Amino acid sequence: MNISVTPLQYTFSDLEPCMSRQTVELHHTKHEQGYANKLNELYQGDLPLIEIVREFATRPEKKIYNNAGQLLNHHFFWQSLTPKYQKPQGQLLDAINDNFGSFDKMVASFIEQGTAHFGSGWVWLVASNGSLQIMTTTNADSPITTPNVEILLAIDIWEHAYYLDYTYQRGEFIKNTVEKLANWEYASQRLAATR
Ligand code: FE
């Protein structure tokens, strides 16, 4: 079975100026495609991607897990972005206000945890047992291997995601992504599916 990269719902340049055409194109066609190529080389089974990640998460040999995990994480990441930004509304906004105090405080928590995270990884907005939380994971790890945690939004904080546009300023990248590119409609739909 050939496992492919996530089809983008926008063009490479649609996320400008917050995320440049060059960043999106390289990220999608080189980095993410690289994970897909490697996974297809290493894995010839027919499990769906999410099940490959779960199956290989606990094995000592990490190559299949790492490439499958990264591919799955990018699947969440690209869907977490939109060129047609709209602020959170309805139940999602209520949940943000209840759990963080305000949208701005949630953004601050995204920035704080994302910048404090050491090395490559991911910062996530998740729903867990009825509450919203920000969490980070390292390298190819994701919340999908943690019970009772549902992913609402994903931000890639590997340097390939921001270095061309923001150099060392990971916090600026996270702030712009959360405030100008985040697909809150996607997060809303995922939250509704958990209830
Ligand atoms: Fe990436």
Side-chain angles (χ1 to χ4, degrees):
M1 187 173 73
N2 193 59
I3 301 167
S4 59
V5 296
T6 313
L8 299 186
Q9 302 300 310
Y10 35 80
T11 70
F12 294 141
S13 56
D14 279 350
L15 304 179
E16 291 189 328
C18 299
M19 198 180 286
S20 68
R21 180 202 57 75
Q22 191 184 18
T23 289
V24 178
E25 184 169 2
L26 289 173
H27 198 162
H28 189 62
T29 65
K30 302 297 178 194
H31 294 278
E32 190 187 10
Q33 187 65 54
Y35 301 127
N37 294 348
K38 196 75 191 165
L39 181 62
N40 286 312
E41 196 182 300
L42 295 166
Y43 179 78
Q44 274 85 41
D46 55 8
L47 286 176
L49 185 59
I50 194 162
E51 296 307 326
I52 299 173
V53 176
R54 290 197 168 116
E55 174 71 26
F56 285 84
T58 53
R59 297 197 190 182
E61 202 291 303
K62 288 292 174 203
K63 279 186 191 162
I64 290 177
Y65 169 76
N66 284 339
N67 285 284
Q70 280 295 83
L71 201 52
L72 182 65
N73 293 353
H74 285 86
H75 168 78
F76 290 114
F77 176 59
W78 296 123
Q79 293 185 92
S80 293
L81 306 177
T82 176
K84 296 173 186 161
Y85 182 86
Q86 285 190 316
K87 283 194 156 187
Q89 297 166 11
Q91 284 194 336
L92 176 63
L93 182 59
D94 293 343
I96 288 170
N97 289 333
D98 289 348
N99 288 276
F100 297 96
S102 67
F103 177 77
D104 289 347
K105 285 182 179 166
M106 183 203 63
V107 176
S109 182
F110 249 113
I111 295 168
E112 187 188 325
Q113 295 205 43
T115 52
H117 181 82
F118 185 77
S120 296
W122 297 80
V123 56
W124 312 83
L125 176 67
V126 299
S128 177
N129 299 317
S131 73
L132 300 196
Q133 298 167 24
I134 306 291
M135 65 183 284
T136 64
T137 58
T138 296
N139 295 335
D141 291 344
S142 82
I144 69 143
T145 50
T146 308
N148 302 318
V149 173
E150 298 294 334
I151 295 164
L152 304 185
L153 205 78
I155 302 180
D156 189 340
I157 51 172
W158 283 58
E159 286 185 348
H160 65 233
Y162 62 87
Y163 219 86
L164 281 173
D165 298 331
Y166 296 89
T167 65
Y168 61 92
Q169 299 175 98
R170 185 190 277 181
E172 281 301 297
F173 159 69
I174 295 171
K175 180 177 166 61
N176 271 346
T177 304
V178 176
E179 291 184 339
K180 295 174 182 167
L181 292 180
N183 189 347
W184 293 115
E185 180 56 31
Y186 173 71
S188 280
Q189 287 168 8
R190 294 192 61 89
L191 180 64
T194 69
R195 294 184 166 182

mmCIF file of all heavy atoms in Angstrom, residues 27 31-32 35 70 74 77-78 122 156-158 160-161, ligand 1:
data_model
loop_
_atom_site.group_PDB
_atom_site.id
_atom_site.type_symbol
_atom_site.label_atom_id
_atom_site.label_comp_id
_atom_site.label_asym_id
_atom_site.label_seq_id
_atom_site.Cartn_x
_atom_site.Cartn_y
_atom_site.Cartn_z
ATOM 1 N N HIS A 27 8.319 22.499 2.874
ATOM 2 C CA HIS A 27 7.806 21.692 3.982
ATOM 3 C C HIS A 27 6.995 20.497 3.443
ATOM 4 O O HIS A 27 7.159 19.363 3.881
ATOM 5 C CB HIS A 27 6.943 22.590 4.875
ATOM 6 C CG HIS A 27 6.702 22.053 6.244
ATOM 7 N ND1 HIS A 27 6.269 22.835 7.285
ATOM 8 C CD2 HIS A 27 6.821 20.803 6.753
ATOM 9 C CE1 HIS A 27 6.151 22.082 8.372
ATOM 10 N NE2 HIS A 27 6.470 20.853 8.074
ATOM 11 N N HIS A 31 10.158 17.899 3.051
ATOM 12 C CA HIS A 31 10.176 17.289 4.388
ATOM 13 C C HIS A 31 9.083 16.227 4.526
ATOM 14 O O HIS A 31 9.366 15.073 4.837
ATOM 15 C CB HIS A 31 10.024 18.364 5.469
ATOM 16 C CG HIS A 31 11.190 19.290 5.526
ATOM 17 N ND1 HIS A 31 12.352 18.983 6.195
ATOM 18 C CD2 HIS A 31 11.395 20.498 4.955
ATOM 19 C CE1 HIS A 31 13.220 19.963 6.048
ATOM 20 N NE2 HIS A 31 12.662 20.903 5.296
ATOM 21 N N GLU A 32 7.830 16.627 4.299
ATOM 22 C CA GLU A 32 6.745 15.654 4.482
ATOM 23 C C GLU A 32 6.846 14.518 3.455
ATOM 24 O O GLU A 32 6.659 13.348 3.789
ATOM 25 C CB GLU A 32 5.370 16.336 4.389
ATOM 26 C CG GLU A 32 4.254 15.399 4.806
ATOM 27 C CD GLU A 32 2.869 15.976 4.572
ATOM 28 O OE1 GLU A 32 2.749 17.026 3.920
ATOM 29 O OE2 GLU A 32 1.905 15.347 5.036
ATOM 30 N N TYR A 35 9.247 11.884 4.561
ATOM 31 C CA TYR A 35 8.715 10.920 5.532
ATOM 32 C C TYR A 35 7.875 9.854 4.816
ATOM 33 O O TYR A 35 7.940 8.670 5.140
ATOM 34 C CB TYR A 35 7.844 11.614 6.597
ATOM 35 C CG TYR A 35 8.551 12.675 7.408
ATOM 36 C CD1 TYR A 35 8.034 13.960 7.526
ATOM 37 C CD2 TYR A 35 9.739 12.384 8.077
ATOM 38 C CE1 TYR A 35 8.672 14.930 8.277
ATOM 39 C CE2 TYR A 35 10.387 13.351 8.831
ATOM 40 C CZ TYR A 35 9.852 14.632 8.921
ATOM 41 O OH TYR A 35 10.482 15.589 9.665
ATOM 42 N N GLN A 70 5.533 11.222 11.956
ATOM 43 C CA GLN A 70 5.697 12.537 11.333
ATOM 44 C C GLN A 70 4.665 12.760 10.220
ATOM 45 O O GLN A 70 4.119 13.855 10.083
ATOM 46 C CB GLN A 70 7.117 12.693 10.775
ATOM 47 C CG GLN A 70 8.125 13.059 11.842
ATOM 48 C CD GLN A 70 7.834 14.433 12.418
ATOM 49 O OE1 GLN A 70 6.989 14.585 13.307
ATOM 50 N NE2 GLN A 70 8.522 15.454 11.932
ATOM 51 N N HIS A 74 1.804 15.727 10.339
ATOM 52 C CA HIS A 74 1.612 16.723 9.267
ATOM 53 C C HIS A 74 0.186 16.705 8.731
ATOM 54 O O HIS A 74 -0.327 17.739 8.310
ATOM 55 C CB HIS A 74 2.626 16.509 8.137
ATOM 56 C CG HIS A 74 4.004 16.976 8.500
ATOM 57 N ND1 HIS A 74 4.887 16.176 9.177
ATOM 58 C CD2 HIS A 74 4.623 18.180 8.349
ATOM 59 C CE1 HIS A 74 6.012 16.860 9.393
ATOM 60 N NE2 HIS A 74 5.873 18.085 8.914
ATOM 61 N N PHE A 77 -1.431 18.936 11.029
ATOM 62 C CA PHE A 77 -0.887 20.295 10.895
ATOM 63 C C PHE A 77 -1.491 21.038 9.704
ATOM 64 O O PHE A 77 -1.985 22.154 9.847
ATOM 65 C CB PHE A 77 0.637 20.218 10.757
ATOM 66 C CG PHE A 77 1.324 21.526 10.512
ATOM 67 C CD1 PHE A 77 1.210 22.578 11.408
ATOM 68 C CD2 PHE A 77 2.116 21.719 9.384
ATOM 69 C CE1 PHE A 77 1.869 23.794 11.190
ATOM 70 C CE2 PHE A 77 2.776 22.924 9.156
ATOM 71 C CZ PHE A 77 2.650 23.960 10.058
ATOM 72 N N TRP A 78 -1.468 20.436 8.520
ATOM 73 C CA TRP A 78 -1.961 21.162 7.330
ATOM 74 C C TRP A 78 -3.451 21.466 7.447
ATOM 75 O O TRP A 78 -3.912 22.495 6.983
ATOM 76 C CB TRP A 78 -1.673 20.363 6.052
ATOM 77 C CG TRP A 78 -0.225 20.171 5.758
ATOM 78 C CD1 TRP A 78 0.422 18.978 5.594
ATOM 79 C CD2 TRP A 78 0.787 21.190 5.594
ATOM 80 N NE1 TRP A 78 1.754 19.186 5.341
ATOM 81 C CE2 TRP A 78 2.009 20.531 5.333
ATOM 82 C CE3 TRP A 78 0.772 22.584 5.637
ATOM 83 C CZ2 TRP A 78 3.200 21.215 5.116
ATOM 84 C CZ3 TRP A 78 1.963 23.267 5.433
ATOM 85 C CH2 TRP A 78 3.161 22.591 5.175
ATOM 86 N N TRP A 122 6.234 19.272 18.525
ATOM 87 C CA TRP A 122 4.890 19.733 18.162
ATOM 88 C C TRP A 122 4.218 20.356 19.368
ATOM 89 O O TRP A 122 4.427 19.903 20.495
ATOM 90 C CB TRP A 122 4.057 18.532 17.688
ATOM 91 C CG TRP A 122 4.638 17.910 16.457
ATOM 92 C CD1 TRP A 122 5.696 17.034 16.386
ATOM 93 C CD2 TRP A 122 4.239 18.168 15.110
ATOM 94 N NE1 TRP A 122 5.965 16.731 15.066
ATOM 95 C CE2 TRP A 122 5.087 17.406 14.270
ATOM 96 C CE3 TRP A 122 3.247 18.964 14.537
ATOM 97 C CZ2 TRP A 122 4.966 17.423 12.878
ATOM 98 C CZ3 TRP A 122 3.130 18.970 13.157
ATOM 99 C CH2 TRP A 122 3.979 18.214 12.341
ATOM 100 N N ASP A 156 3.477 22.538 14.051
ATOM 101 C CA ASP A 156 4.800 21.940 13.865
ATOM 102 C C ASP A 156 5.841 22.940 14.381
ATOM 103 O O ASP A 156 5.885 24.086 13.914
ATOM 104 C CB ASP A 156 4.980 21.704 12.355
ATOM 105 C CG ASP A 156 6.210 20.898 11.994
ATOM 106 O OD1 ASP A 156 7.145 20.816 12.810
ATOM 107 O OD2 ASP A 156 6.230 20.369 10.860
ATOM 108 N N ILE A 157 6.654 22.527 15.349
ATOM 109 C CA ILE A 157 7.710 23.435 15.829
ATOM 110 C C ILE A 157 9.109 22.876 15.541
ATOM 111 O O ILE A 157 10.077 23.199 16.221
ATOM 112 C CB ILE A 157 7.539 23.835 17.319
ATOM 113 C CG1 ILE A 157 7.343 22.606 18.219
ATOM 114 C CG2 ILE A 157 6.372 24.800 17.477
ATOM 115 C CD1 ILE A 157 7.356 22.944 19.728
ATOM 116 N N TRP A 158 9.188 22.032 14.504
ATOM 117 C CA TRP A 158 10.506 21.694 13.960
ATOM 118 C C TRP A 158 11.024 22.961 13.251
ATOM 119 O O TRP A 158 10.230 23.734 12.703
ATOM 120 C CB TRP A 158 10.389 20.555 12.945
ATOM 121 C CG TRP A 158 10.213 19.184 13.533
ATOM 122 C CD1 TRP A 158 9.209 18.766 14.368
ATOM 123 C CD2 TRP A 158 11.065 18.055 13.325
ATOM 124 N NE1 TRP A 158 9.391 17.443 14.692
ATOM 125 C CE2 TRP A 158 10.523 16.975 14.059
ATOM 126 C CE3 TRP A 158 12.220 17.831 12.578
ATOM 127 C CZ2 TRP A 158 11.101 15.712 14.081
ATOM 128 C CZ3 TRP A 158 12.801 16.572 12.593
ATOM 129 C CH2 TRP A 158 12.245 15.523 13.337
ATOM 130 N N HIS A 160 12.254 23.382 10.413
ATOM 131 C CA HIS A 160 11.874 23.500 8.994
ATOM 132 C C HIS A 160 10.527 24.208 8.824
ATOM 133 O O HIS A 160 10.214 24.691 7.750
ATOM 134 C CB HIS A 160 11.895 22.138 8.279
ATOM 135 C CG HIS A 160 10.885 21.137 8.757
ATOM 136 N ND1 HIS A 160 11.215 19.853 9.146
ATOM 137 C CD2 HIS A 160 9.536 21.208 8.897
ATOM 138 C CE1 HIS A 160 10.120 19.189 9.484
ATOM 139 N NE2 HIS A 160 9.091 19.998 9.355
ATOM 140 N N ALA A 161 9.723 24.260 9.890
ATOM 141 C CA ALA A 161 8.398 24.892 9.805
ATOM 142 C C ALA A 161 8.474 26.416 9.837
ATOM 143 O O ALA A 161 7.559 27.092 9.367
ATOM 144 C CB ALA A 161 7.505 24.403 10.942
HETATM 145 FE FE FE B 1 7.200 19.485 9.517
#
